[in-house]
């Protein structure tokens, strides 16, 4: 039986773009990519890569926002607050890639997220999306208990100037069950050996998908 995640609007008086399964946000560059080039499979054929892109749900930007690189400010005609600033001191010790401006901003969410008892959510920047002009920080929230709207801090690329369009995915929300785990490491004795590794490189393509992959449903 499937579990249910609920996104409850904090502004029911407005028609705000809804969270949707991540499978509805597959980027055009991935759709256009060739699956095989020069007889070699591309990332288009990598099922784990696609599972990451399509896992969980995306919360989209509700209206166009414009970033003025010179003024260091956002502008938008949104009916609800869409983006605000964080204080630089809140994230100044995070070691970011060189291409990102360290000044933190915050996507203002319109959604209360609720999951069944015992389930939390990983909220992260849309996975495998280096094309986006921003990077949203990751967090795990116990959404079966947390009663408030969850906002999403992010940073921008230094070279970005212009519009981020309504509908752009801001964060990816992946529900998961909280389980207790322990660790075991085996580093002596007979090595682990599958014995059929050679089949991975032999046709037909798609060895992992055909033999080990499980379909995910969101």
């Amino acid at each position: 039986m499937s579990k249910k995640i609920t996104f409850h609007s904090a502004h029911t008086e407005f028609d705000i773009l809804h969270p949707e399964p991540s499978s509805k946000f597959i980027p055009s560059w991935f759709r256009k990519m060739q699956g095989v080039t020069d007889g070699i499979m591309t990332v288009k054929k990598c099922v784990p890569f696609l599972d990451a892109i399509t896992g969980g749900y995306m919360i989209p930007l509700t209206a166009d926002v414009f970033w003025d690189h010179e003024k260091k400010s956002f502008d938008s005609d949104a009916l609800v607050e869409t983006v605000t600033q964080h204080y630089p001191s809140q994230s100044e010790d995070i070691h970011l890639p060189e291409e990102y401006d360290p000044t933190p901003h915050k996507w203002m969410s319109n959604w209360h997220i609720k999951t069944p008892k015992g389930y939390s959510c990983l909220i992260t920047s849309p996975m495998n999306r280096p094309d986006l002009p921003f990077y949203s920080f990751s967090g795990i929230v116990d959404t079966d208990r947390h009663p408030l709207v969850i906002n999403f801090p992010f940073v921008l690329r230094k070279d970005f100037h212009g519009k981020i369009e309504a509908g752009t995915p801001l964060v990816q929300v992946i529900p998961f069950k909280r389980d207790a785990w322990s660790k075991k490491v085996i580093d002596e004795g007979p090595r682990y050996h599958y014995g059929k590794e050679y089949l991975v490189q032999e046709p037909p393509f798609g060895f992992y998908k055909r033999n080990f992959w499980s379909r995910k449903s969101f």
Side-chain angles (χ1 to χ4, degrees):
M1 185 174 67
S2 65
K3 300 293 182 180
K4 180 175 288 186
I5 184 170
T6 301
F7 297 90
H8 193 144
S9 176
H11 297 283
T12 55
E13 69 273 25
F14 299 123
D15 184 15
I16 295 172
L17 290 175
H18 292 178
E20 298 285 358
S22 298
S23 57
K24 294 189 176 182
F25 292 85
I26 297 175
S28 59
W29 57 260
F30 184 82
R31 293 184 183 278
K32 295 175 183 178
M33 185 183 295
Q34 295 296 316
V36 178
T37 301
D38 297 329
I40 301 173
M41 289 189 298
T42 70
V43 71
K44 180 72 171 284
K45 291 289 187 179
C46 180
V47 177
F49 187 96
L50 180 61
D51 270 351
I53 286 180
T54 59
Y57 303 85
M58 295 288 189
I59 295 182
L61 182 61
T62 190
D64 293 348
V65 297
F66 185 87
W67 170 250
D68 189 317
H69 183 73
E70 298 300 323
K71 295 181 180 179
K72 302 294 183 183
S73 64
F74 280 102
D75 185 43
S76 176
D77 292 329
L79 297 175
V80 296
E81 191 172 34
T82 303
V83 59
T84 63
Q85 298 292 118
H86 262 300
Y87 294 107
S89 60
Q90 291 179 278
S91 60
E92 63 184 0
D93 292 327
I94 295 178
H95 293 270
L96 294 167
E98 181 61 30
E99 62 265 29
Y100 290 100
D101 188 311
T103 303
H105 311 276
K106 181 164 59 179
W107 298 120
M108 302 301 290
S109 179
N110 300 293
W111 303 98
H112 297 271
I113 305 173
K114 290 297 179 183
T115 47
K117 184 178 179 180
Y119 285 78
S120 300
C121 284
L122 167 64
I123 302 173
T124 188
S125 208
M127 289 192 282
N128 293 330
R129 293 298 307 272
D131 54 307
L132 295 173
F134 57 85
Y135 173 79
S136 298
F137 292 112
S138 300
I140 291 176
V141 180
D142 295 338
T143 43
D144 57 342
R145 301 174 181 174
H146 184 67
L148 305 176
V149 164
I150 305 163
N151 299 312
F152 319 118
F154 70 98
V155 289
L156 284 166
R157 289 184 176 272
K158 292 177 180 178
D159 59 357
F160 178 69
H161 175 87
K163 182 171 68 174
I164 303 175
E165 296 183 351
T168 299
L170 302 179
V171 293
Q172 191 166 356
V173 180
I174 303 175
F176 67 93
K177 188 176 186 299
R178 295 192 298 272
D179 282 316
W181 291 81
S182 61
K183 176 178 67 71
K184 181 179 181 179
V185 176
I186 300 175
D187 65 350
E188 59 184 12
R191 71 179 183 89
Y192 178 84
H193 181 59
Y194 173 58
K196 296 183 180 180
E197 289 90 343
Y198 63 92
L199 294 176
V200 176
Q201 303 300 329
E202 294 187 357
F205 293 134
F207 180 78
Y208 168 74
K209 184 176 182 180
R210 287 185 287 105
N211 293 277
F212 309 114
W213 176 70
S214 296
R215 186 176 297 279
K216 289 77 176 173
S217 179
F218 297 99

